Amino acid sequence: MYQVRRRQLLIAAGALVAAPLAAEAQQAGKVWRIGVLLTLSAPAEDPPQAFRQRLRELGYVEGRNLAIDWRYAEGRSDRLPGLAAELVRLGVDVIVADITPAIRAAMRAAPAVPIVMSLAADAVGNGLVSSLARPGG
């Protein structure tokens, strides 16, 4: 059940990332760069692949209008700050982070880059967002 939930959350994150960008990407021919910061699942595992598939279903094709930069901490939280900094150096348009430590690392490394949280227990209570209705920065 946990694996299914993670997959559903990553699919939902894909929809959240992709939907607002769709019209602009179609018009401008822009290649959107998404940085994905993972702690729990390797990029080849089901949840990240479901994310990639959902983006394809929404019209985002890697190599045509999308580039995905995957960074996997292999379960080691100490690697997250360096991996988040790599994504910032690549100039990503948005970062998708899987769990709270990855979200925090992304927030510190990229205060001006939108961050999509795929899994966060009590995002308000942990200070990740101001409120669910108006998450803020």
Side-chain angles (χ1 to χ4, degrees):
M1 176 146 153
Y2 177 69
Q3 187 73 355
V4 171
R5 239 186 127 146
R6 275 194 346 202
R7 181 178 183 170
Q8 290 169 337
L9 287 169
L10 277 171
I11 290 169
L16 288 172
V17 168
L21 306 177
E24 189 175 338
Q26 301 276 331
Q27 292 172 356
K30 177 173 173 58
V31 175
W32 293 97
R33 177 167 239 117
I34 299 174
V36 182
L37 186 57
L38 300 169
T39 308
L40 299 175
S41 299
E45 291 180 20
D46 285 343
Q49 289 307 307
F51 172 69
R52 178 182 266 151
Q53 177 59 36
R54 182 63 181 137
L55 288 169
R56 261 187 247 124
E57 291 167 4
L58 291 167
Y60 292 94
V61 179
E62 288 179 87
R64 189 174 72 200
N65 59 359
L66 177 68
I68 302 176
D69 296 302
W70 301 92
R71 295 297 182 271
Y72 176 44
E74 300 174 356
R76 293 184 42 209
S77 296
D78 62 308
R79 296 189 63 214
L80 292 167
L83 296 172
E86 284 179 28
L87 293 174
V88 173
R89 282 192 297 275
L90 292 170
V92 297
D93 296 299
V94 64
I95 295 175
V96 176
D98 64 354
I99 61 172
T100 301
I103 297 162
R104 287 193 191 287
M107 290 172 72
R108 281 191 290 276
V113 176
I115 299 168
V116 176
M117 300 180 277
S118 67
L119 212 93
D122 193 7
V124 175
N126 283 319
L128 301 173
V129 297
S130 308
S131 74
L132 295 179
R134 297 192 181 272

